[in-house]
């Protein structure tokens, strides 16, 4: 190998670009094969379990926009109400978006402020644990 | 057999239980606090539910979230480990109310053994030797009469007690009143239960305990004794071994016999431990722990029995399938607790992010730990990071093995008890096997002096 | 007893030997190449000497530097481990010339057993069953005659051979000449010794080996057998167990008896292993390894004997101190080799810097490894990173335990054989214990097909 | 704690300065106690064994000055000759500075070029291993 400055076309530079791309994906492993080279990127399986990528995805915009993340504060089964929340709809403060059923008790999940429902991060009937992100509301 | 077990604990014991489930082909559900998201028990279990933030009352004692996690994940049983909810009779009842098998004895036995005065009375009825002493003492006057009959020195203890809280040694009659009032006030403050009772003080006793297993069909076996006399001044165990060194065969046989007798008497089921104080050839029942103990591995090593698997099998309703005659101890095992504690500073607990973590291995070394290089040690929990267990054919070989294992152990980022354990193992007292619960406090006092 | 041992090896076996020294209270001196400066055996030994750069001939085979390190550090013995200089009779002689005890058998025995044809002849003299076959075959004509008398299919093997080099299967007479010339040329190229001999080909044999210990006073014991039939297509072992499943008591007894017989016959001392091919109830001696084996821990687990400590004790001139009657196997043990190899790519060795490394623990799990989080895997050496050993009362429980242990194992940064081991453990063939040395190659062929 | 910018007098700034100082010492552990604060610095015991700090100390100047490091290339006992090398002395090319005795054989350690002996990193009679730095010569 000749010790030159790495150009944009060199494998190391390409690997770096790929790595930068890869860390921003939710993928655990990515493998690219071309005629003369191979790249394999893998995320450490020691990364925090569960909602890491989701948490990162929803946490970032809140810095720029005025966003509320509604999280589960009990462990149970999530139930949407009769009026199922719709992505993009305007919600009033205190609007009940869903409820969590646990041990026969129903805990409401309510909008903390009026705004637009910009993400639904959960499914009707799913088991949710403490701190699980459920809805994202951009405050109006 | 049970199908799926929720493990209502954290750290090494949660991992221990998940491992037992795996080996039995049973599903496992971990719970974790937000501070434990990256912990090994979470990584290794089949499923995991966050049950609350770091502080214990909001997560590992959050009964509604724990029960709900068990139900929504389709568990049919809960294993409580040790600490947290393990000896909470009410929790065991709540499990039953929700159709969840609590892996432990029946709630009424947990309750009876949880109250030290009751436990002692029940054991005395069963013919187990207990420390001379009294029931609850309502007044200083009654305490004074009792002390005269028991004989000084005496020990005042809180009936709801633990960890030395509400406990006073009284050497002379003139100190009794002050001690009684102090113990009562401290017990009231610590446990919201100021009741105290009295016991004869056994000077320089050894702490020896007997492991029992009982199935739900009346079969009871013991798995020998452990010596847990190497304790910090706070009475927390630091080094344990099986069997107890320098114990006469007569005392040993009597301990084993009493433990089985007591379990039969109370209709005990699942794993349990009877703790005794021993002095010379005399043994006195102290308390019964109705759960798996931290130090259970030393017994597993010498008996070749997986106690946590046995707990699950028993809770599944299976008979033990063996009798006392089938059990034969082999070799000697020692456990050292590697705690995140500063032994130079009164064992002050440490928290923070760990650097390099390397555990020893090789022949006769077993490691039970949830930590790894770069792991976090949250400030909320018990400071035990790992248990290093050494097994060999003789006690002498086990000590040599433990010493080499501890010298290999590397836990960076927090102060640990590794060096303290090595110091104990190196003493003539420990090596000769002649030590009592005052051994480590005296060793520490010497160092300071 | 020896006072101080130079450990002429690296990796897990160097660490293993340092551990044995520690437990015996003997000093230990590690050697290392520049590529191994941060390795665990260097960290853990009492002293450590760099003996050369990374490539093996310049460091771990650098006899002058190794001997010099032993002398300047005041060692009185050298333990060679396995590989490198372990079966080099000349090295054993050089040690003796410098007043250093070589921990292994006498040089002439290493020499005799290192030549496969000689070894076979010696064993046949001792009454050990050997594969029907011949001595060195000088010409194709002699080979043809031999093949007619042995009966096709036959195997041509290099007398200096190893790792399948210079080996040819000959199914039919018309293939003999080409195979003979090919084997001779390959043996010449690989070992600078083109001599070949012939054996009857045993179809689908199992690889079963017997562990022996012999002191320098004529006492010989066996420590049962190991089944090492789970081998990569290159004939390198991947999974071993003790004892061998599905072996008739008659065949087992015969194996043990022959091993002891052979050792007595040759005046063997120290630890050794006799490797046999077994087919049905027939067993045939294959070769003798005059050193500790990689897979020795499974034997240690079931016999409760520390083989490396025994090696050192024997080399110190101590008598064994027990006889065959004192030895009783208990339970079942399995070893899985965690190699830095890409099992999807013909087990191509991997090198590089490791990421997170977490090994399993808990009951019945023993880990022998030199790696840790962030360690480097140099490109120069054997690809074995760790041995995971599972012990339990029954084979079924040991398999369940191994499966849960491997599922907990985390080695980031290189491809490893962990998944491959899990795949083998999950097969009906492995679980039933009915497998032979073609098992893994067939499994791999199926996956491709 | 009030979230201000750390000044030079704040513990964190002092800790940083101490840390910078500490890494350039050969110390394994350093503990400083004052009336109101304590600092403890420890080197990872996983750092490469042996000659790390020495290697770093001698490797750095070589970048700026024209420096030869003479290293042991056999394992043995180091012996200075009759004319013991003296710090600061001018040495000729091929001058024998010492020898390493191993298995009865004497291997010379010679200056690769003429220059000034700027460091003696070994002691007469010491056991040296492969790669051990022995002398530093600033080429003249």
């Amino acid at each position: 190998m000749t010790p030159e400055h790495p150009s944009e076309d060199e494998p190391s530079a390409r690997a770096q670009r790929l790595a930068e791309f890869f860390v921003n994906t939710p993928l655990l492993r990515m493998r690219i094969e071309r005629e003369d080279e191979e790249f394999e990127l893998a995320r450490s399986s020691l990364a925090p379990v569960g909602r890491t990528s989701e948490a990162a995805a929803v946490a970032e915009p809140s810095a720029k926009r005025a966003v509320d993340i509604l999280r589960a504060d009990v462990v149970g089964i999530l139930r949407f109400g009769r009026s199922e929340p719709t992505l993009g709809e305007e919600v009033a403060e205190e609007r009940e978006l869903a409820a969590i059923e646990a041990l026969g008790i129903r805990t409401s999940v309510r909008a903390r402020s009026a705004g637009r429902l910009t993400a639904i991060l959960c499914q009707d009937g799913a088991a949710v644990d403490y701190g699980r992100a459920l809805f994202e509301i951009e405050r109006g | 057999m049970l199908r799926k077990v929720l493990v209502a604990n954290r750290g090494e014991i949660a991992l221990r239980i998940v491992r037992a489930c795996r080996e039995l082909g049973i599903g496992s559900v971990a719970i974790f606090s937000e501070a434990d998201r990256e912990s090994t028990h979470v990584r290794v279990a089949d499923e995991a539910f966050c049950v609350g933030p770091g502080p214990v009352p909001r997560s590992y004692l959050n009964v509604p979230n724990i029960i709900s996690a068990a139900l929504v994940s389709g568990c049919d049983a809960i294993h409580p480990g040790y600490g947290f909810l393990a000896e909470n009779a009410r929790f065991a009842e709540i499990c039953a109310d929700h159709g969840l098998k609590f892996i432990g004895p029946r709630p009424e036995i947990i309750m009876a053994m949880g109250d030290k005065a009751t436990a002692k009375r029940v054991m005395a009825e069963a013919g187990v030797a207990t420390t001379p002493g009294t029931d609850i003492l309502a007044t200083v006057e009654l305490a004074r009469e009792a002390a005269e009959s028991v004989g000084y020195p005496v020990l005042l203890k809180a009936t709801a007690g633990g960890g030395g809280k509400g406990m006073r040694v009284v050497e002379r009659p003139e100190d009794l009143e002050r001690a009684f009032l102090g113990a009562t006030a401290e017990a009231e403050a610590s446990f919201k239960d100021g009741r105290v009772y009295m016991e004869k003080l056994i000077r320089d006793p050894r702490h020896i305990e007997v492991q029992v297993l009982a199935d739900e069909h009346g079969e009871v076996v013991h798995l020998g004794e452990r010596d847990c006399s190497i304790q910090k001044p706070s009475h927390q165990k630091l080094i344990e071994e099986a069997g107890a060194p320098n114990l006469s065969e007569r005392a040993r046989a009597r301990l084993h016999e009493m433990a089985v007798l007591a379990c039969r008497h109370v209709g005990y089921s699942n794993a349990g431990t009877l703790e005794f104080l021993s002095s010379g050839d005399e043994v006195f029942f102290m308390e019964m722990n109705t759960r798996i103990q931290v130090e259970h591995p030393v017994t597993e090593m010498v008996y070749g029995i997986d106690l946590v698997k046995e707990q699950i099998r028993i809770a599944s309703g299976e008979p033990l399938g063996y009798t006392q005659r089938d059990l034969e101890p082999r070799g000697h095992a020692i456990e050292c607790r590697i705690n995140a504690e500063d032994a130079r500073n009164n064992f002050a607990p440490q928290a923070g992010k760990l650097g390099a973590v390397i555990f020893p291995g090789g022949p006769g070394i077993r490691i039970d730990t949830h930590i790894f290089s770069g792991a976090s040690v949250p400030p909320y929990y018990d400071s035990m990071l790992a248990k290093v267990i050494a097994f060999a054919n003789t006690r002498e070989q086990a000590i040599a093995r433990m010493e080499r294992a501890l010298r290999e152990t590397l836990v960076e980022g927090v102060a640990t008890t590794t060096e303290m354990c090595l110091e104990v193992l190196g003493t003539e007292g420990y090596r000769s096997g002649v030590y009592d619960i005052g051994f480590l406090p005296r060793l520490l006092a010497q160092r300071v002096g």
Side-chain angles (χ1 to χ4, degrees), chain A, chain B:
Chain A
M1 272 176 57
T2 36
E4 292 178 329
H5 278 278
S7 82
E8 272 297 289
D9 287 316
E10 283 206 359
S12 63
R14 273 207 297 289
Q16 197 181 332
R17 284 205 311 279
L18 273 173
E20 282 161 16
F21 166 73
F22 174 67
V23 295
N24 290 315
T25 71
L27 299 174
L28 273 178
R29 190 176 283 274
M30 188 170 81
R31 192 181 166 86
I32 292 168
E33 285 185 39
R34 297 198 229 176
E35 246 174 63
D36 57 340
E37 58 186 10
E38 286 186 20
F39 289 100
E40 179 158 356
L41 296 128
R43 203 175 287 277
S44 166
S45 35
L46 271 188
V49 289
R51 276 68 54 195
T52 324
S53 57
E54 163 259 287
V58 297
E60 219 194 328
S62 68
K64 299 165 202 158
R65 300 176 285 147
V67 161
D68 271 346
I69 307 297
L70 303 186
R71 295 181 182 276
D73 53 8
V74 296
V75 177
I77 302 291
L78 191 88
R79 300 285 182 208
F80 290 159
R82 267 146 304 178
S83 63
E84 200 166 312
T86 321
L87 199 64
E89 75 170 306
E90 296 293 330
V91 296
E93 189 177 337
E94 285 294 303
R95 151 81 184 279
E96 183 183 275
L97 293 165
I100 301 171
E101 288 176 8
L103 314 183
I105 295 167
R106 199 174 164 284
T107 306
S108 286
V109 179
R110 291 177 188 281
R112 286 197 292 268
S113 56
R116 201 162 57 87
L117 188 60
T118 47
I120 299 174
L121 302 159
C122 53
Q123 287 187 308
D124 187 49
V128 295
D129 61 352
Y130 179 90
R132 168 78 60 128
L134 306 174
F135 301 102
E136 183 191 279
I137 292 171
E138 198 173 313
R139 288 200 288 276
Chain B
M1 184 70 85
L2 296 169
R3 289 187 327 273
K4 198 173 184 181
V5 173
L6 180 128
V7 182
N9 216 300
R10 68 177 296 279
E12 69 86 18
I13 193 64
L15 182 59
R16 173 73 189 83
I17 299 162
V18 169
R19 285 170 170 162
C21 291
R22 270 280 161 80
E23 293 183 16
L24 288 168
I26 294 177
S28 57
V29 178
I31 61 165
F32 60 101
S33 74
E34 288 182 319
D36 277 342
R37 202 171 275 279
E38 299 186 38
S39 192
T40 304
H41 76 286
V42 179
R43 177 175 70 90
V44 167
D46 293 336
E47 298 167 57
F49 283 75
C50 183
V51 292
V56 167
R58 297 196 55 198
S59 49
Y60 295 108
L61 294 180
N62 187 332
V63 173
N65 277 356
I66 293 169
I67 298 284
S68 181
L71 295 176
V72 303
S73 59
C75 288
D76 51 2
I78 293 193
H79 195 306
Y82 53 70
F84 295 141
L85 299 162
E87 289 174 291
N88 184 323
R90 182 70 195 117
F91 178 68
E93 283 172 354
I94 293 170
C95 288
D97 290 347
H98 288 90
L100 296 162
K101 177 79 184 180
F102 176 87
I103 300 177
R106 284 173 290 120
E108 54 271 31
I109 291 183
I110 300 175
M111 176 100 65
M113 295 300 136
D115 183 277
K116 294 193 177 190
T118 307
K120 208 176 140 181
R121 197 188 60 237
V122 170
M123 288 297 161
E125 285 165 15
V128 174
T130 59
T131 330
T134 69
D135 209 334
I136 307 293
L137 296 167
T139 65
V140 182
E141 287 66 40
L142 290 170
R144 194 176 304 280
E145 283 170 32
E148 295 300 331
S149 107
V150 166
Y152 288 92
V154 297
L155 200 58
L156 286 166
K157 292 170 90 173
T159 190
K165 290 276 165 61
M167 197 188 289
R168 291 289 186 284
V169 174
V170 191
E171 301 272 355
R172 298 164 307 178
E174 53 268 41
D175 300 333
L176 186 75
E177 181 164 357
R178 199 169 150 217
F180 182 86
L181 297 174
T184 306
E186 195 170 293
E188 180 64 38
S190 301
F191 314 114
K192 295 199 179 98
D193 179 351
R195 294 175 300 157
V196 298
Y197 64 100
M198 184 182 291
E199 270 179 5
K200 171 89 184 144
L201 176 72
I202 318 292
R203 286 203 193 271
D204 303 328
R206 301 168 66 181
H207 173 125
I208 296 182
E209 57 188 32
V210 179
Q211 176 70 52
V212 293
L213 278 178
D215 67 19
E216 298 183 349
H217 313 281
E219 184 71 38
V220 181
V221 295
H222 71 80
L223 289 100
E225 80 289 345
R226 297 184 284 258
D227 193 321
C228 309
S229 306
I230 302 295
Q231 302 181 352
K232 296 184 281 184
S234 60
H235 294 294
Q236 289 167 303
K237 299 163 188 168
L238 184 67
I239 302 179
E240 302 98 343
E241 58 186 312
N246 287 316
L247 189 66
S248 76
E249 281 314 309
R250 191 177 142 272
R252 193 188 311 272
R254 186 138 172 277
L255 274 169
H256 297 174
E257 194 188 322
M258 285 195 298
V260 171
L261 207 69
C263 289
R264 283 197 213 285
H265 176 76
V266 300
Y268 196 83
S269 63
N270 219 290
T273 298
L274 287 93
E275 297 192 330
F276 295 87
L277 289 182
S278 140
S279 182
D281 255 14
E282 287 195 302
V283 291
F284 305 102
F285 171 81
M286 195 171 22
E287 63 180 72
M288 179 163 192
N289 296 322
T290 57
R291 53 164 167 85
I292 194 79
Q293 306 259 112
V294 172
E295 60 271 23
H296 75 274
V298 291
T299 299
E300 294 185 325
M301 301 303 273
V302 297
Y303 277 87
I305 289 215
D306 186 319
L307 288 170
V308 180
K309 275 196 204 167
E310 292 305 281
Q311 286 193 290
I312 297 170
R313 280 212 310 115
I314 290 167
S316 299
E318 292 193 9
L320 278 183
Y322 45 83
T323 64
Q324 195 66 54
R325 270 189 301 277
D326 300 315
L327 298 172
E328 178 106 44
R330 180 158 121 165
H332 195 88
I334 302 173
E335 171 181 285
C336 285
R337 302 192 188 189
I338 311 301
N339 300 338
E341 290 171 354
D342 186 354
R344 294 169 307 179
N345 182 19
N346 212 11
F347 297 95
Q350 309 281 296
K353 195 162 169 68
L354 298 176
V357 172
I358 304 181
F359 284 108
I365 295 298
R366 165 177 170 185
I367 304 294
D368 277 45
T369 189
H370 57 292
I371 66 161
F372 49 87
S373 290
S376 290
V377 180
Y380 310 110
Y381 314 116
D382 183 88
S383 55
M384 196 174 70
L385 299 179
K387 304 186 300 205
V388 175
I389 301 111
F391 173 79
N393 294 328
T394 67
R395 183 171 188 267
E396 191 186 351
Q397 287 168 9
I399 292 173
R401 187 157 274 172
M402 180 62 89
E403 287 183 310
R404 75 96 179 142
L406 293 182
R407 289 210 174 87
E408 289 176 32
T409 303
L410 185 73
V411 177
E412 291 188 338
V414 294
T416 72
T417 48
T418 311
E419 286 299 321
M420 186 75 248
C421 289
L422 268 171
E423 192 176 330
V424 171
L425 294 179
T427 59
E428 184 43 45
Y430 186 81
R431 295 177 104 79
S432 67
V434 181
Y435 59 84
D436 57 54
I437 62 171
F439 183 83
L440 181 54
R442 285 193 300 273
L443 185 69
L444 294 165
Q446 276 169 26
R447 283 208 308 189
V448 173

